[in-house]
Amino acid sequence: MRAVPSLRRCVCLLLAAILDLACGYLTVNIEPLPPVVAGDAVTLKCNFKTDGRMREIVWYRVTDGGTIKQKIFTFDAMFSTNYSHMENYRKREDLVYQSTVRLPEVRISDNGPYECHVGIYDRATREKVVLASGNIFLNVMAPPTSIEVVAADTPAPFSRYQAQNFTLVCIVSGGKPAPMVYFKRDGEPIDAVPLSEPPAASSGPLQDSRPFRSLLHRDLDDTKMQKSLSLLDAENRGGRPYTERPSHGLTPDPNILLQPTTENIPETVVSREFPRWVHSAEPTYFLRHSRTPSSDGTVEVRALLTWTLNPQIDNEALFSCEVKHPALSMPMQAEVTLVAPKGPKIVMTPSRARVGDTVRILVHGFQNEVFPEPMFTWTRVGSRLLDGSAEFDGKELVLERVPAELNGSMYRCTAQNPLGSTDTHTRLIVFENPNIPRGTEDSNGSIGPTGARLTLVLALTVILELT
């Protein structure tokens, strides 16, 4: 009776060996790949080992979380004569094969899982197919495509008596995965305090408990406000400049000498007085990051650097935003220099203004590169603007249908950003308009009823003469 169990065990082992010999075996694996960079050529390699006769090889790209499989390559042995040496499928033989798929220029959209499916004929019958598969995840990286440094909440005025927070924003787009972004000042890395939430707009100066550090390596700008002897001193003395009441007469139209429309006043006032709250100490920086995924798989990263602005030491400071990414061979960077506006260049059209013309006064650049973007405010010295308003905000001042009364009037343009402000003045000169007889224009520069009747009579006279 003891021989019966051992006999059964031997029979089972024999049957297993016969089934294994009949069915054969198949192992499939895909060679692993490190992350690849978009634009590179990539080759996927599927290795399989079998002692059977191959039926087919199919490559799939898996999308939508595995719910969709897109067939990208198929090999059908039934339509190939390359495997005639395997006709003797009854002979047990270990054979190793490799199937490759090459992506010449891989894209971010190619990122994801791939599968290699291999089928062999059953050794017992060709009607059955033994299947096995392997998979791999293709990780496609992309370097950032753009980097930009901007100032938040601009344009903003210059604050002479109250400390204000200032924020630089570094925007990095097109990277996958998200890059590492950091700031430097004058070439030195900034030791910033991580900030999880943005500071409130109404909050005071940001503070930190770190020890005091002096900025002895930076030269302090001791520029003082230069007073205008001809115009501003008169205002400070309480008197009125002579331009407050311009002459109501018309400037005669010279036949030989062509005079400009405006007279540029050489005195430019730079407001760089610093109050007691300004300290010559290195500021405390706060850094906050935000990430926004894009539909193409990339990530937009915004790094916000915030500190309490000190115009005395921050003016002409060089800030750089640098980016490190595994797809970049060297850091990517963008630079800005904080600069207060200086010497606005005023352009006026037309070059020779006459009564009734529309005059445009435009700020056409500065003597220096200004950052952040300044804000502009126009005022008329000693009076209101032509439309009755006290001031106008904008880069261009438009005076519609200028009257003769504006001849000799002076206009002030104040350009300012958080680093400082500057004033420049220009004088408007209005010439006679031969098409408008003297005394026929109203206070707004338009032709009055008398002028309209006179113009109509002249027009009728011309018509009668022509007829």
Side-chain angles (χ1 to χ4, degrees), residues 140-210:
V140 181
M141 300 186 304
T145 56
S146 66
I147 180 173
E148 180 186 15
V149 179
V150 299
D153 304 323
T154 57
F158 173 65
S159 178
R160 200 177 273 105
Y161 304 108
Q162 182 179 4
Q164 59 180 337
N165 296 331
F166 185 75
T167 300
L168 285 177
V169 184
C170 182
I171 307 173
V172 184
S173 305
K176 178 186 177 296
M180 183 179 70
V181 184
Y182 56 95
F183 283 90
K184 288 184 178 181
R185 172 171 177 158
D186 296 327
E188 297 295 330
I190 294 178
D191 182 17
V193 178
L195 194 64
S196 58
E197 296 294 334
S202 59
S203 62
L206 299 176
Q207 296 181 355
D208 183 52
S209 58
R210 297 187 300 181

Side-chain angles (χ1 to χ4, degrees), residues 51 92 103 243-244 263-264 377:
D51 64 344
R92 186 178 182 87
L103 305 176
T243 56
E244 282 191 10
E263 175 188 352
N264 291 324
T377 304

Side-chain angles (χ1 to χ4, degrees), residues 47 54-55 57 75 140 145 151 174 182 194 199 208 214 258 260 332 341 372 374 413 427 464:
N47 301 319
M54 189 173 63
R55 172 65 179 85
I57 303 173
F75 174 82
V140 181
T145 56
Y182 56 95
D208 183 52
S214 177
L258 182 63
M332 186 179 184
C413 176
R427 191 191 307 276
L464 291 174

Side-chain angles (χ1 to χ4, degrees), residues 129-346:
V129 177
V130 179
L131 298 175
S133 64
N135 60 79
I136 187 177
F137 190 93
L138 181 61
N139 186 4
V140 181
M141 300 186 304
T145 56
S146 66
I147 180 173
E148 180 186 15
V149 179
V150 299
D153 304 323
T154 57
F158 173 65
S159 178
R160 200 177 273 105
Y161 304 108
Q162 182 179 4
Q164 59 180 337
N165 296 331
F166 185 75
T167 300
L168 285 177
V169 184
C170 182
I171 307 173
V172 184
S173 305
K176 178 186 177 296
M180 183 179 70
V181 184
Y182 56 95
F183 283 90
K184 288 184 178 181
R185 172 171 177 158
D186 296 327
E188 297 295 330
I190 294 178
D191 182 17
V193 178
L195 194 64
S196 58
E197 296 294 334
S202 59
S203 62
L206 299 176
Q207 296 181 355
D208 183 52
S209 58
R210 297 187 300 181
F212 171 87
R213 288 175 291 179
S214 177
L215 279 184
L216 297 179
H217 65 282
R218 291 189 55 83
D219 297 331
L220 300 183
D221 190 347
D222 57 354
T223 305
K224 302 299 181 181
M225 182 171 64
Q226 183 180 3
K227 301 292 184 179
S228 171
L229 300 179
S230 62
L231 176 63
L232 297 181
D233 283 353
E235 292 182 355
N236 294 334
R237 290 194 302 266
R240 291 186 174 184
Y242 66 92
T243 56
E244 282 191 10
R245 296 179 180 178
S247 173
H248 286 202
L250 295 179
T251 302
D253 190 359
N255 297 324
I256 301 176
L257 183 62
L258 182 63
Q259 298 182 2
T261 299
T262 61
E263 175 188 352
N264 291 324
I265 308 302
E267 295 85 359
T268 298
V269 183
V270 180
S271 300
R272 296 293 304 283
E273 291 182 334
F274 302 105
R276 296 181 179 180
W277 56 261
V278 174
H279 302 285
S280 300
E282 184 175 359
T284 300
Y285 296 95
F286 295 85
L287 184 62
R288 184 173 67 91
H289 289 88
S290 66
R291 298 180 179 181
T292 305
S294 302
S295 58
D296 60 355
T298 60
V299 180
E300 181 186 271
V301 177
R302 293 188 175 225
L304 290 81
L305 183 70
T306 303
W307 74 98
T308 301
L309 191 69
N310 187 336
Q312 192 174 13
I313 62 176
D314 289 332
N315 190 55
E316 298 185 358
L318 174 65
F319 286 84
S320 61
C321 171
E322 297 194 0
V323 173
K324 287 186 177 180
H325 192 274
L328 293 173
S329 58
M330 59 185 302
M332 186 179 184
Q333 72 171 9
E335 296 179 344
V336 294
T337 302
L338 304 186
V339 181
K342 181 181 179 181
K345 301 176 182 178
I346 305 298

Side-chain angles (χ1 to χ4, degrees), residues 356-464:
D357 289 347
T358 295
V359 177
R360 300 178 182 273
I361 311 176
L362 174 67
V363 179
H364 188 68
F366 295 86
Q367 295 179 3
N368 57 344
E369 294 291 336
V370 180
F371 183 88
E373 177 187 1
M375 60 186 304
F376 304 91
T377 304
W378 293 89
T379 55
R380 179 182 174 187
V381 178
S383 182
R384 289 182 172 270
L385 296 175
L386 185 58
D387 61 357
S389 60
E391 61 183 28
F392 172 77
D393 294 329
K395 196 171 184 179
E396 183 183 48
L397 176 65
V398 180
L399 304 175
E400 298 281 353
R401 303 165 65 184
V402 293
E405 287 79 2
L406 290 186
N407 180 48
S409 59
M410 183 173 291
Y411 295 87
R412 178 192 296 115
C413 176
T414 301
Q416 58 181 323
N417 68 5
L419 280 303
S421 67
T422 179
D423 293 344
T424 189
H425 301 77
T426 186
R427 191 191 307 276
L428 176 63
I429 300 175
V430 183
F431 293 93
E432 278 186 345
N433 191 338
N435 297 325
I436 303 178
R438 185 186 299 269
T440 59
E441 71 276 353
D442 58 18
S443 60
N444 292 325
S446 59
I447 302 175
T450 304
R453 290 194 296 269
L454 180 59
T455 302
L456 180 59
V457 171
L458 291 175
L460 291 175
T461 304
V462 171
I463 293 174
L464 291 174

